[in-house]
Amino acid sequence: MAFTLPALPYATDALEPHIDKMTMEIHHGKHHQAYVTNLNKALEGKPEADSNIEDIIKNISKFPMAVRNNGGGHYNHSLFWTILGPGAGGEPTGALGDAIKSTFGSFADFKTKINEAGATRFGSGWAWLIVTPEKKLAVCSTPNQDNPLMDIAEVKGTPIFGIDVWEHAYYLKYQNRRPDYLAAVWNVINWSHVAELYSKA
Ligand code: MN
């Protein structure tokens, strides 16, 4: 059983005007597909080719760099598509909304922390909201296709929300203006799904 590209849960133009159709087509259909293809190549003939991606990610130090990069790419993007959604945005309510307020002061302060984590990540990477092993919320960032679930991560936890800050996520529409992309992405966050991930973490 090889890893496969998950279908997008909405149309490629559904996040317009904040994330454009062509970016979504290339990001999902080319970039994510390449991570899946190269992950399968890297695991070909190995017993781990049949295990689930979370188990691989949690033990990533035991794998070669090709699995770290492409397995991370597959895990991260699979999460990313589900936390975005058309007609979304606004603020989380319920337990997640309360936890964000008690941890960061306010939703606005949380947004600032994520935007800073994304804007200051040099080169390519991700900004994350995680649930730590102590069951607290925290914001962090990782380089390349690493993530906080990896046993090699500097800050560890279960990611429940992540923003891709690779240039391929925004360059066609926003060119070098990563902060403009970061400002726009808040309009398309599917908070009910993030809340669901929070309740499971
Ligand atoms: Mn990406």
Side-chain angles (χ1 to χ4, degrees), residues 127-143:
W128 301 102
L129 175 64
I130 62 169
V131 177
T132 68
E134 297 77 34
K135 302 290 172 197
K136 303 268 190 223
L137 288 179
V139 166
C140 64
S141 80
T142 55

Side-chain angles (χ1 to χ4, degrees), residues 27 31 35 77 80-81 126 145 164 166 168-169:
H27 199 176
H31 289 281
Y35 296 126
H77 289 84
F80 188 50
W81 310 132
W126 290 76
Q145 295 297 355
D164 188 345
W166 282 58
H168 69 220

Side-chain angles (χ1 to χ4, degrees), residues 3-156:
F3 292 98
T4 54
L5 181 70
L8 269 186
Y10 35 76
T12 50
D13 63 357
L15 307 180
E16 294 263 11
H18 309 290
I19 303 179
D20 60 289
K21 181 177 197 275
M22 189 185 279
T23 294
M24 289 301 290
E25 283 174 357
I26 296 172
H27 199 176
H28 175 259
K30 305 287 183 196
H31 289 281
H32 190 172
Q33 179 63 65
Y35 296 126
V36 171
T37 302
N38 291 324
L39 174 63
N40 286 331
K41 259 186 218 161
L43 290 175
E44 207 171 359
K46 299 198 170 82
E48 292 89 351
D50 288 322
S51 66
N52 80 45
I53 190 66
E54 281 88 357
D55 290 339
I56 292 173
I57 294 294
K58 285 176 182 167
N59 297 290
I60 205 71
S61 63
K62 301 188 181 104
F63 291 89
M65 196 50 108
V67 175
R68 177 166 160 186
N69 288 336
N70 293 293
H74 177 42
Y75 176 91
N76 295 346
H77 289 84
S78 298
L79 173 69
F80 188 50
W81 310 132
T82 66
I83 65 137
L84 301 178
E91 291 186 24
T93 53
L96 175 62
D98 293 345
I100 284 176
K101 282 185 192 94
S102 69
T103 307
F104 303 106
S106 68
F107 181 70
D109 289 322
F110 160 68
K111 269 175 75 168
T112 302
K113 271 202 123 83
I114 286 280
N115 287 343
E116 276 171 9
T120 59
R121 167 52 58 190
F122 183 78
S124 298
W126 290 76
W128 301 102
L129 175 64
I130 62 169
V131 177
T132 68
E134 297 77 34
K135 302 290 172 197
K136 303 268 190 223
L137 288 179
V139 166
C140 64
S141 80
T142 55
N144 305 315
Q145 295 297 355
D146 288 358
N147 66 54
L149 201 60
M150 290 180 170
D151 56 358
I152 46 90
E154 219 172 285
V155 180
K156 291 187 187 62

